[in-house]
């Protein structure tokens, strides 16, 4: 098996959470399989969430924690993000991270566009995995919400900067899981971690 450089971002803003457990389980299995792993918890990052400008003419300097995460993404071959779904979207701090860190000139190039006028991704050659915890049943997420948050993460964020394919693992019933369910989720992310998928 080919080993990979894997960067994992636990995107839950709390110090302890199911998302952190899943991220650490993925990391543990990946390391045991020989992969090189870097893990960051969103809770530990200190940065201003607000981009604060109306365009990209002015850019707020990146805090050291954001620079480090970008360095880790650039170093990686596979990027994993764990996140809860809150109010149909991302936690504010995780959305703030994407707003602040994924900037032109570093993650996408607005000076080179494709035939549709879309900027060129600058982080191509990397694959991704997004692990989402939610209380919304999977069928409801698909048929009523049309997988909106999942498509945002996969296509409008990670895919936009070149991390693709970014596959989704969706765990529902996260607030009050039935007996044995969390253990099955951990087993699943450990299998994915060992395989770096």
């Amino acid at each position: 098996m080919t080993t990979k450089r894997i960067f994992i971002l636990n995107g839950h803003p709390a110090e302890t959470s199911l998302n952190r457990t899943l991220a650490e389980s993925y990391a543990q299995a990946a390391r045991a399989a020989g992969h090189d792993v870097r893990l960051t918890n969103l809770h530990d990052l200190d940065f201003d969430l607000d981009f604060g400008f109306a365009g990209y003419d002015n850019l707020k300097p990146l805090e050291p924690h954001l620079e480090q995460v970008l360095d880790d993404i650039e170093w990686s071959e596979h990027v994993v993000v764990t996140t809860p779904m809150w109010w149909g979207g991302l936690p504010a701090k995780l959305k703030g991270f994407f707003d602040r860190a994924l900037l032109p000139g570093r993650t996408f190039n607005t000076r080179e566009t494709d035939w549709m006028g879309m900027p060129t991704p600058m982080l191509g050659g990397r694959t991704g995995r997004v692990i989402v915890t939610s209380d919304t049943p999977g069928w409801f997420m698909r048929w009523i919400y049309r997988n909106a948050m999942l498509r945002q993460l996969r296509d409008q964020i990670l895919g936009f900067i070149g991390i693709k394919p970014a596959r989704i693992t969706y765990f529902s019933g996260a607030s009050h899981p039935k007996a044995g369910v969390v253990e099955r989720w951990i087993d699943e992310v450990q299998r994915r971690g060992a395989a770096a998928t």
Side-chain angles (χ1 to χ4, degrees):
M1 180 184 72
T2 303
T3 60
K4 288 185 180 178
R5 298 187 304 274
I6 303 172
F7 172 65
I8 304 169
L9 175 63
N10 163 31
H12 197 296
E15 185 173 6
T16 60
S17 66
L18 173 59
N19 288 102
R20 182 171 186 150
T21 299
L22 296 173
E24 290 174 347
S25 297
Y26 189 106
Q28 180 183 28
R31 288 186 181 116
H35 302 291
D36 195 357
V37 178
R38 296 179 184 177
L39 170 63
T40 293
N41 294 299
L42 184 68
H43 171 80
D44 299 329
L45 302 182
D46 184 18
F47 63 95
D48 182 358
L49 282 65
D50 187 4
F51 180 72
F53 295 104
Y56 291 123
D57 294 331
N58 297 304
L59 296 179
K60 188 180 294 186
L62 295 180
E63 293 87 345
H65 284 166
L66 295 183
E67 284 285 0
Q68 181 59 58
V69 171
L70 283 173
D71 288 345
D72 289 339
I73 293 172
E74 290 167 345
W75 161 87
S76 73
E77 298 169 292
H78 184 62
V79 175
V80 178
V81 178
T82 67
T83 181
M85 181 173 80
W86 287 354
W87 294 106
L90 300 171
K93 188 171 183 180
L94 182 57
K95 180 59 166 60
F97 165 79
F98 291 135
D99 288 347
R100 288 291 320 285
L102 304 183
L103 298 174
R106 184 84 178 259
T107 63
F108 60 94
N109 186 351
T110 57
R111 296 177 186 211
E112 292 182 15
T113 59
D114 64 16
W115 64 275
M116 293 186 296
M118 298 297 289
T120 302
M122 297 179 70
L123 294 175
R126 293 164 182 81
T127 56
R129 167 73 56 187
V130 179
I131 300 168
V132 178
T133 58
S134 174
D135 287 331
T136 301
W139 67 268
F140 200 95
M141 186 69 168
R142 284 189 301 276
W143 296 105
I144 306 302
Y145 292 157
R146 308 283 188 192
N147 285 333
M149 175 186 164
L150 308 184
R151 288 186 288 111
Q152 177 194 32
L153 281 162
R154 185 190 63 217
D155 303 327
Q156 295 172 284
I157 297 175
L158 297 180
F160 189 84
I161 61 176
I163 299 174
K164 56 185 173 182
R167 295 182 172 90
I168 305 288
T169 299
Y170 185 78
F171 296 133
S172 64
S175 290
H176 305 286
K178 296 178 181 176
V181 168
V182 171
E183 290 76 14
R184 290 199 297 274
W185 293 347
I186 290 171
D187 287 344
E188 180 174 342
V189 299
Q190 286 180 328
R191 286 194 302 273
R192 298 200 181 283
T197 62

